[in-house]
């Protein structure tokens, strides 16, 4: 019971910490005349992935590498299959052309690079520096690109969404903004410690590996800000935002969280479990690749496609549970999935992509 309470308290601390950090940093940046566009593409975009960053870094410092990497890979799988699936079920999601032509290839490229770097079973500190450097370059590229867009449409959107604190409001003073940042960072550090410790305890009590806990419970928990942001955007009808939030979060997780974790690990490097290299990273890549036919089929994610994504997430978790228990049903389960369900799904998605009229 105490472990469960610590786990929930850790999640709450992570969510509130991320919100406080984003709020304080955004208002402080705006008070220094930094444009809402830059704030939106940096502080706000990275803030939703702050829990993953905090947990992965904290896990590395605690010597729990499986939790650190499992959290990142599991969060990416959760983002695409569960969050996009859930959002599409609520309201079919439109996909901007830029996401298809630019963001998806970058997301796929990051995943392939991670797999290539980790093929030897570890990510060295200099490889982590490469990943983190690519994230910085990607962010700079987005800022420059958005500023140069014709008519300033992107800038106008951010001006509407991100506004400085009004005079006399509770968060208008720099001291309050700094306090929010400090409280947010404190909650993130504390929450990550509680979450990692309780997750390891869960793993031991359930007889499963730290990696399984990281791929499932911890990954879903640290993705709560993305769940809230994407589902809320879908309910409000902001369908582009729901998709962009998920894709951006996956890029940040792959390049930023793994990159920083590898740097923190020092000369020892960030070790990757064999099952992660041989199976889970491939599942993550497959989930990313599944976005292509879905997004290209009329540039939207239909409700039935959302249900397919959700179903595959359930199947993935079920496979992890069966494999962890070495259950007798695992061979039959795997055979049905790989020889019947997966090929049928691929054919269905391709037919949908070819048969659906493209918007003009």
């Amino acid at each position: 019971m105490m472990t469960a309470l610590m786990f929930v308290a850790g999640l709450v601390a992570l969510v509130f910490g991320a919100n406080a950090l984003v709020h304080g940093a955004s208002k402080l940046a705006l008070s220094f005349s930094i444009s809402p566009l830059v704030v939106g593409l940096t502080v706000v975009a990275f803030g939703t992935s702050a829990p993953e960053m905090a947990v992965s870094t904290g896990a590395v410092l605690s010597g729990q590498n499986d939790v650190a990497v499992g959290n990142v890979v599991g969060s990416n799988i959760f983002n695409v299959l569960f969050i996009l699936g859930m959002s599409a079920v609520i309201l079919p999601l439109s996909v901007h052309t830029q996401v298809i032509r630019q963001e998806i290839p970058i997301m796929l490229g990051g995943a392939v690079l991670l797999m290539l770097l980790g093929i030897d079973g570890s990510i060295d500190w200099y490889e982590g520096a490469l990943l983190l450097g690519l994230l910085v370059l990607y962010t700079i590229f987005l800022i420059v690109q958005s500023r140069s867009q014709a008519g300033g449409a992107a800038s106008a959107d951010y001006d509407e969404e991100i506004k400085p604190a009004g005079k006399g409001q509770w968060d208008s003073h720099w001291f309050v903004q700094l306090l929010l940042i400090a409280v947010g960072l404190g909650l993130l550090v504390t929450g990550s410690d509680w979450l990692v410790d309780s997750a390891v305890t869960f793993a031991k009590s359930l007889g499963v590996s730290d990696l399984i806990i990281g791929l499932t419970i911890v990954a879903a928990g640290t993705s709560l800000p993305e769940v809230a942001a994407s589902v809320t955007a879908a309910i409000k009808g902001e369908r582009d935002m729901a998709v962009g939030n998920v894709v951006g979060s996956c890029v940040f997780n792959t390049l930023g969280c793994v990159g920083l974790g590898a740097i923190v690990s020092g000369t020892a490097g960030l070790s990757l479990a064999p099952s992660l290299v041989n199976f889970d990273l491939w599942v993550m890549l497959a989930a990313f690749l599944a976005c292509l036919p879905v997004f290209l089929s009329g540039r939207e994610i239909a409700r039935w496609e959302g249900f397919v994504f959700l179903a595959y997430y359930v199947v993935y978790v079920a496979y992890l549970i069966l494999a962890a228990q070495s259950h007798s049903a695992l061979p039959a389960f795997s055979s049905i999935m790989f020889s019947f369900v997966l090929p049928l799904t691929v054919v269905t998605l391709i037919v949908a992509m070819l048969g659906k009229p493209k918007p003009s």
Side-chain angles (χ1 to χ4, degrees):
M1 179 61 72
M2 287 302 298
T3 302
L5 288 175
M6 181 182 290
F7 185 85
V8 173
L11 285 179
V12 172
L14 286 172
V15 172
F16 278 93
N19 287 335
L21 177 63
V22 168
H23 189 93
S26 298
K27 299 301 181 184
L28 184 63
L30 291 172
S31 67
F32 280 98
S33 299
I34 297 176
S35 72
L37 172 65
V38 175
V39 174
L41 290 172
T42 55
V43 177
V44 176
F46 293 170
T48 56
S49 291
E52 285 93 340
M53 177 74 82
V55 167
S56 293
T57 305
V60 171
L61 293 174
S62 301
Q64 306 293 338
N65 283 3
D66 283 348
V67 174
V69 186
N71 170 49
V72 171
V73 175
S75 290
N76 284 350
I77 295 170
F78 184 85
N79 285 345
V80 172
L81 297 184
F82 184 88
I83 298 180
L84 276 186
M86 177 74 71
S87 301
V89 168
I90 294 172
L91 183 71
L93 303 176
S94 62
V95 184
H96 196 278
T97 305
Q98 178 178 313
V99 173
I100 299 172
R101 293 179 178 175
Q102 176 178 299
E103 313 305 334
I104 293 298
I106 290 174
M107 183 175 73
L108 284 169
V112 171
L113 178 60
L114 178 60
M115 294 178 71
L116 291 175
L117 293 178
I119 199 168
D120 60 351
S122 70
I123 306 292
D124 294 317
W125 69 267
Y126 53 86
E127 294 173 328
L130 170 64
L131 292 173
L132 204 56
L134 288 174
L135 178 63
V136 173
L137 291 176
Y138 171 64
T139 304
I140 294 172
F141 168 73
L142 283 181
I143 294 171
V144 173
Q145 181 188 56
S146 298
R147 280 186 165 180
S148 64
Q149 283 184 351
S155 296
D157 289 340
Y158 281 106
D159 288 342
E160 181 66 27
E161 290 292 327
I162 303 170
K163 298 179 180 179
K167 196 170 183 179
Q169 291 184 347
W170 69 274
D171 57 356
S172 61
H173 197 279
W174 64 267
F175 176 78
V176 175
Q177 295 162 358
L178 287 176
L179 183 62
L180 283 171
I181 294 173
V183 170
L185 289 172
L187 286 173
L188 285 172
V189 171
T190 303
S192 67
D193 285 341
W194 290 348
L195 195 69
V196 171
D197 290 344
S198 57
V200 172
T201 303
F202 274 135
K204 291 178 179 177
S205 63
L206 295 174
V208 298
S209 67
D210 294 349
L211 177 62
I212 299 297
I213 295 296
L215 286 166
T216 54
I217 300 176
V218 176
T222 55
S223 292
L224 285 178
E226 285 92 340
V227 174
S230 293
V231 171
T232 301
I235 292 174
K236 289 182 178 180
E238 298 168 343
R239 304 189 295 168
D240 276 346
M241 188 177 295
V243 177
N245 174 62
V246 165
V247 175
S249 178
C250 288
V251 173
F252 182 86
N253 289 344
T254 304
L255 301 180
C257 295
V258 176
L260 183 59
I263 292 173
V264 169
S265 68
T267 55
L270 187 61
S271 61
L272 306 181
S275 61
L276 187 82
V277 175
N278 296 327
F279 178 70
D280 299 291
L281 282 173
W282 288 99
V283 173
M284 181 184 78
L285 181 61
F288 289 177
L289 286 170
C291 292
L292 286 175
V294 171
F295 287 7
L296 289 171
S297 60
R299 294 179 192 157
E300 74 167 12
I301 308 176
R303 276 197 174 91
W304 73 268
E305 291 166 331
F307 277 116
V308 170
F309 274 26
L310 284 174
Y312 270 114
Y313 185 73
V314 172
V315 168
Y316 170 66
V317 173
Y319 178 88
L320 290 180
I321 294 172
L322 291 175
Q325 298 177 343
S326 298
H327 200 281
S328 59
L330 182 61
F333 181 86
S334 302
S335 177
I336 292 173
M337 287 304 303
F338 287 107
S339 62
F340 176 71
V341 178
L342 279 174
L344 180 62
T345 305
V346 170
V347 171
T348 303
L349 290 175
I350 292 174
V351 170
M353 179 179 67
L354 297 177
K356 210 168 186 179
K358 301 294 184 294
S360 58

